[in-house]
Amino acid sequence: MITIRSERELALLEEASQVVLETLELIEKAVTPGVTTEELDRLAEAEIRRRGAKPAFLGYRGYPKTLCTSVNDEVVHGIPGKRILKNGDIVGVDCGAVVGGYFGDASRTLAVGTIDPEKAKLLEVTRRGLDAGIAAARPGNRVSDIGAAVEAVAIPHGYGVVRDFVGHGVGTALHEEPQIPNYGPAGRGSLLRAGMVIAIEPMFNLGRAEVSTDKDGWTVRTRDGSASAHFENTVAIEADGAVVLGMGRLLRRASSAVAS
Ligand code: MF3
Ligand code: CO
């Protein structure tokens, strides 16, 4: 079952995502050669709590931290620890927060210092994959139209599109129905309707699509050792298209009403 959210619920989902996006902005400023992933995690947890929210990942199925920090060939779910980020690394920072029982979930892959052009391109194209998925998340489209749009961005670059992990509905749990794959074909799955809230989260690899999970039970990395990027936003599907949550949904609704 895919839940349709009320205005009251959308307001809480917006708030939770706002905490997540503002925490990610803080982390972005702190990502610099020499910082450890554990230090980033401590900053994020303090910021989320300071804002009166709760970390969503901490304790989720036994997950031990606030952030997931996934470096270079790590795709998702890297556990913050003593690892020191160095110039030229890329780090995926995934963050979740809960406000009044409603979840927000977002991720950015960030450059540490100066990165090589190949990695810079991977970040840019994965970000574009997310934006293409968001543009396809509109009423009347089906779930797999999102994945088809995401995948179409990766294909011309020859990137591997990770198939073993998918986006998801977001609401009173971190992971709800439906699952949102990052590949097509288009035209399959549930019809998208206004009031649905979903996290879209493409993972693109410089090499092949295959991934494996480390013995820690969490860290997912590319099998061929190639670098990987992950971008994620939680979005609300509204009558005229998807709205990224956490960026002032109500303000933007008001101004588009004035504009039209
Ligand atoms: N954004 C990731 C996801 O949607 C977060 C994983 S949370 C963890 O799956 F707690 F499982 F690490
Ligand atoms: Co997610």
Side-chain angles (χ1 to χ4, degrees):
M1 208 208 22
I2 309 174
T3 308
I4 302 298
R5 301 295 166 186
S6 66
E7 266 312 307
R8 184 194 75 89
E9 292 182 293
L10 289 171
L12 288 166
L13 288 158
E14 165 72 20
E15 252 192 84
S17 278
Q18 192 180 334
V19 171
V20 169
L21 295 188
E22 288 176 2
T23 301
L24 285 173
E25 275 180 31
L26 182 84
I27 297 303
E28 185 162 4
K29 290 189 202 116
V31 165
T32 175
V35 76
T36 68
T37 52
E38 203 164 60
E39 284 163 354
L40 299 177
D41 192 77
R42 274 199 295 273
L43 273 175
E45 180 172 359
E47 179 67 10
I48 289 168
R49 294 196 192 282
R50 191 180 70 77
R51 290 171 177 276
K54 277 192 280 194
F57 301 168
L58 187 64
Y60 177 85
R61 294 174 187 247
Y63 187 75
K65 296 285 180 181
T66 290
L67 297 178
C68 300
T69 51
S70 307
V71 184
N72 296 334
D73 65 319
E74 297 172 1
V75 178
V76 285
H77 303 170
I79 304 172
K82 308 260 172 258
R83 182 169 188 159
I84 300 168
L85 296 179
K86 58 177 203 304
N87 188 59
D89 286 343
I90 56 172
V91 59
V93 180
D94 195 343
C95 182
V98 195
V99 171
Y102 287 81
F103 285 71
D105 185 8
S107 165
R108 307 281 180 257
T109 301
L110 306 170
V112 183
T114 310
I115 59 174
D116 66 47
E118 212 185 17
K119 278 179 170 170
K121 186 85 192 169
L122 176 69
L123 300 196
E124 181 204 316
V125 173
T126 310
R127 176 84 212 200
R128 268 181 19 224
L130 171 58
D131 292 339
I134 292 170
R138 52 177 191 269
N141 270 1
R142 290 186 180 272
V143 164
S144 84
D145 292 322
I146 297 170
V150 168
E151 187 180 34
V153 173
I155 286 171
H157 299 276
Y159 294 156
V161 177
V162 175
R163 301 174 80 92
D164 294 1
F165 294 85
V166 295
H168 49 92
V170 178
T172 54
L174 178 61
H175 295 138
E176 298 188 354
E177 286 182 57
Q179 294 196 3
I180 317 279
N182 292 303
Y183 50 88
R188 310 277 177 89
S190 301
L191 211 47
L192 300 174
R193 290 176 52 201
M196 291 178 176
V197 173
I198 57 176
I200 303 175
E201 47 179 318
M203 289 145 263
F204 290 175
N205 303 341
L206 274 181
R208 296 180 55 86
E210 287 74 21
V211 299
S212 61
T213 302
D214 284 5
K215 286 211 262 312
D216 66 14
W218 286 103
T219 312
V220 175
R221 65 179 74 238
T222 59
R223 280 195 184 269
D224 64 7
S226 65
S228 183
H230 175 224
F231 285 83
E232 174 176 25
N233 275 324
T234 300
V235 308
I237 299 173
E238 307 214 357
D240 49 2
V243 173
V244 175
L245 293 183
M247 297 180 13
R249 171 182 166 264
L250 289 175
L251 278 176
R252 273 168 316 112
R253 298 301 302 163
S255 59
S256 66
V258 169
S260 58

Short mmCIF file of all heavy atoms in Angstrom, two decimals, residues 18 26 63 82 96-97 188 197 227 254 256:
data_model
loop_
_atom_site.label_atom_id
_atom_site.label_comp_id
_atom_site.label_asym_id
_atom_site.label_seq_id
_atom_site.Cartn_x
_atom_site.Cartn_y
_atom_site.Cartn_z
N GLN A 18 14.10 19.19 6.09
CA GLN A 18 14.84 20.44 6.28
C GLN A 18 16.00 20.23 7.25
O GLN A 18 17.12 20.70 7.01
CB GLN A 18 13.90 21.52 6.80
CG GLN A 18 14.52 22.90 6.75
CD GLN A 18 13.57 23.98 7.27
OE1 GLN A 18 12.36 23.84 7.22
NE2 GLN A 18 14.14 25.05 7.78
N LEU A 26 26.02 21.62 6.64
CA LEU A 26 27.04 21.76 7.67
C LEU A 26 28.19 20.77 7.43
O LEU A 26 29.37 21.11 7.54
CB LEU A 26 26.39 21.52 9.03
CG LEU A 26 27.27 21.67 10.25
CD1 LEU A 26 27.35 23.14 10.66
CD2 LEU A 26 26.75 20.83 11.42
N TYR A 63 21.98 -0.43 13.04
CA TYR A 63 23.00 0.47 12.48
C TYR A 63 23.55 1.37 13.59
O TYR A 63 22.78 1.94 14.36
CB TYR A 63 22.42 1.30 11.33
CG TYR A 63 23.50 2.09 10.63
CD1 TYR A 63 24.39 1.46 9.77
CD2 TYR A 63 23.66 3.45 10.86
CE1 TYR A 63 25.41 2.16 9.16
CE2 TYR A 63 24.67 4.16 10.24
CZ TYR A 63 25.55 3.51 9.39
OH TYR A 63 26.56 4.22 8.79
N LYS A 82 37.40 5.71 12.18
CA LYS A 82 38.69 6.41 12.30
C LYS A 82 39.28 6.84 10.95
O LYS A 82 40.32 7.48 10.90
CB LYS A 82 39.72 5.50 13.01
CG LYS A 82 39.24 4.93 14.33
CD LYS A 82 39.81 5.73 15.51
CE LYS A 82 39.19 5.29 16.82
NZ LYS A 82 38.16 6.24 17.31
N GLY A 96 19.65 10.88 7.78
CA GLY A 96 18.21 10.78 8.00
C GLY A 96 17.84 11.40 9.34
O GLY A 96 18.63 11.35 10.28
N ALA A 97 16.65 11.99 9.40
CA ALA A 97 16.18 12.58 10.66
C ALA A 97 14.68 12.31 10.83
O ALA A 97 13.97 12.09 9.84
CB ALA A 97 16.44 14.08 10.68
N ARG A 188 6.11 0.78 -16.01
CA ARG A 188 5.74 -0.34 -15.13
C ARG A 188 5.52 0.15 -13.69
O ARG A 188 6.00 1.20 -13.31
CB ARG A 188 6.87 -1.39 -15.10
CG ARG A 188 7.36 -1.83 -16.46
CD ARG A 188 6.46 -2.91 -17.05
NE ARG A 188 6.93 -3.27 -18.40
CZ ARG A 188 7.83 -4.20 -18.66
NH1 ARG A 188 8.36 -4.90 -17.67
NH2 ARG A 188 8.19 -4.46 -19.91
N VAL A 197 5.01 10.37 -1.06
CA VAL A 197 6.33 10.90 -0.70
C VAL A 197 7.35 9.78 -0.86
O VAL A 197 7.17 8.68 -0.31
CB VAL A 197 6.34 11.46 0.73
CG1 VAL A 197 7.75 11.86 1.15
CG2 VAL A 197 5.39 12.66 0.82
N ALA A 227 35.14 3.82 -8.43
CA ALA A 227 34.50 4.82 -7.57
C ALA A 227 33.00 4.86 -7.84
O ALA A 227 32.54 4.56 -8.95
CB ALA A 227 35.11 6.19 -7.82
N ALA A 254 3.49 28.69 -2.58
CA ALA A 254 2.84 30.01 -2.60
C ALA A 254 3.32 30.83 -3.80
O ALA A 254 2.52 31.43 -4.51
CB ALA A 254 3.12 30.74 -1.30
N SER A 256 4.61 29.78 -6.63
CA SER A 256 4.19 29.25 -7.94
C SER A 256 2.71 29.55 -8.15
O SER A 256 2.27 29.74 -9.28
CB SER A 256 4.51 27.77 -8.07
OG SER A 256 3.75 27.00 -7.18
#
